Amino acid sequence: MTARTPRLSRLRRLTPGRGEDGVGRSGRRRGATPKVVALGGGQGLSASLAALRRITGDLTAVVTVADDGGSSGRLREELGVLPPGDLRKALAALCGDDDWGQTWARVIQHRFQSEGDLHGHAVGNLLIVALWEQLGDPVQALDLVGKLLGAQGRVLPMSAVPLELQALVRGHDPARPEDVDTVRGQATVALTPGEVLSVQVVPSDPPAVPEAVAAVLDADWVVLGPGSWFSSVIPHLLVPELLDALMETKARRVLSLNLAPQPGETEGFSPQRHLEVLARHAPKLALDVVLADEAAVPDRESLADAAKRFGAAVELAPVARQDGSPKHDPELLAAAYDRIFRMHGRIGPWR
């Protein structure tokens, strides 16, 4: 047990958990679909959410809050708020395929083009921040935006405070390829030409959003990734209460790997190396399944060995778009998740 356990226990007591018969402590009966929590940020999380909303009606996104670039960085610096960009992208990914959902998805993703101060700002970022200021409650505001959009799920920030990402990078300065420097800021880390060795967040013990912890503790499945490995995936493991919840939850845990290394941040990484750096940041974390695109794994045996470090099985499936781009196909990814939930999940009331 860690020193944080009493605080996590208080959060657990506030969670409408489950009994052995599938009835929660709140007295409600479990839903018809599995409860899924997806963790990440940016385009990777959006791809996962676009797939998961096709197979479950009980979906929660827990989103990183370390972004410091673009519109989010400007609003964060000027107003001291959580960076809204990744939260906005998650909400857009949860919009339905009907006219209402797709119209609102386009509206909140729209960026102003001008010669003035509005240039580059996304409509959704301004809407989210306006509601934060009106309501004074980030979670309540995001729930209200989700209701407006008809979002098929809930979006939560992983921490209640904006975080700064710091990384140890070898060769960040090409003129000094062997030197290790501390690189600050998610936008800078994501584009570094050097080799990222490790990351941390500042403050080092940030408070988790209680609703995010509760969602993880009450989930049937937790999905981590895909996404920018050091700047969107690993940061969730650096929020102590959230990591404790991930280790204590009764949910099954699936790690979804990227289709290709990311230029700069994970240049030259093999699929198994992604697992190795994850293990360095969270050595006690256990996983149940590692999902990878079958065409992106040249050495299946090495990946299987790396997955065993987490106690996980490897599932290979075609999940990439057919146009050759390193992007996930929502329908194929949904089919892969659905198969994993059925084949690896405990017998649940949704089956």
Side-chain angles (χ1 to χ4, degrees):
M1 288 293 185
T2 70
R4 297 181 297 273
T5 299
R7 185 163 50 170
L8 184 62
S9 296
R10 288 195 295 273
L11 287 171
R12 182 186 291 278
R13 287 196 296 271
L14 294 174
T15 304
R18 293 167 292 183
E20 294 299 324
D21 59 355
V23 178
R25 286 193 290 270
S26 62
R28 59 171 167 76
R29 172 66 59 177
R30 301 281 288 137
T33 56
K35 281 192 167 189
V36 181
V37 176
L39 295 83
Q43 297 301 324
L45 177 61
S46 295
S48 199
L49 294 174
L52 288 166
R53 69 176 173 81
R54 287 166 162 80
I55 59 175
T56 180
D58 201 332
L59 178 58
T60 300
V62 178
V63 184
T64 182
V65 287
D67 189 9
D68 62 352
S71 171
S72 288
R74 291 159 60 192
L75 290 168
R76 170 179 175 167
E77 181 177 3
E78 182 175 346
L79 301 174
V81 295
L82 295 172
D86 285 349
L87 297 161
R88 181 199 81 245
K89 292 174 185 176
L91 284 163
L94 291 175
C95 286
D97 295 323
D98 57 357
D99 288 342
W100 180 272
Q102 290 306 295
T103 297
W104 274 109
R106 290 192 298 271
V107 167
I108 67 169
Q109 294 283 56
H110 175 75
R111 290 186 184 273
F112 294 103
Q113 302 295 320
S114 74
E115 300 297 326
D117 292 340
L118 273 177
H119 178 72
H121 276 305
V123 171
N125 288 357
L126 301 178
L127 174 62
I128 290 169
V129 172
L131 282 169
W132 283 344
E133 291 194 345
Q134 287 286 316
L135 301 177
D137 183 336
V139 171
Q140 184 183 357
L142 289 167
D143 285 343
L144 188 57
V145 177
K147 184 177 180 180
L148 171 67
L149 305 181
Q152 299 174 13
R154 192 182 194 193
V155 173
L156 299 169
M158 70 176 184
S159 177
V161 299
L163 305 179
E164 178 188 72
L165 195 69
Q166 294 185 356
L168 291 179
V169 181
R170 179 184 289 117
H172 178 67
D173 182 351
R176 300 181 289 110
E178 296 304 318
D179 287 0
V180 176
D181 296 308
T182 298
V183 176
R184 294 176 172 83
Q186 180 177 346
T188 305
V189 172
L191 296 176
T192 179
E195 177 189 1
V196 180
L197 304 177
S198 64
V199 291
Q200 64 180 21
V201 294
V202 177
S204 60
D205 189 9
V209 168
E211 292 86 349
V213 172
V216 170
L217 292 173
D218 199 36
D220 296 305
W221 278 93
V222 175
V223 177
L224 183 63
S228 300
W229 215 244
F230 287 103
S231 52
S232 291
V233 176
I234 289 177
H236 288 78
L237 309 178
L238 306 179
V239 178
E241 291 172 330
L242 194 55
L243 177 59
D244 285 349
L246 285 167
M247 292 191 295
E248 293 188 20
T249 182
K250 301 301 182 183
R252 292 291 179 98
R253 289 153 288 209
V254 57
L255 178 70
S256 187
L257 292 178
N258 294 333
L259 297 171
Q262 181 176 348
E265 189 171 319
T266 55
E267 185 73 42
F269 273 33
S270 64
Q272 54 269 24
R273 189 173 177 189
H274 284 77
L275 292 180
E276 291 165 2
V277 299
L278 194 77
R280 289 205 302 269
H281 288 84
K284 296 182 180 180
L285 180 66
L287 299 170
D288 294 281
V289 180
V290 173
L291 171 63
D293 184 80
E294 55 189 9
V297 182
D299 187 346
R300 299 186 180 190
E301 184 175 347
S302 293
L303 179 58
D305 288 341
K308 287 179 183 177
R309 165 70 178 75
F310 293 91
V314 173
E315 285 289 339
L316 301 178
V319 294
R321 293 184 182 179
Q322 300 302 304
D323 60 7
S325 64
K327 296 181 180 179
H328 288 83
D329 181 283
E331 296 291 346
L332 292 176
L333 187 57
Y337 283 143
D338 186 56
R339 184 172 62 256
I340 288 170
F341 294 170
R342 288 186 288 107
M343 298 295 292
H344 293 271
R346 300 173 179 87
I347 296 175
W350 65 87
R351 295 293 176 189

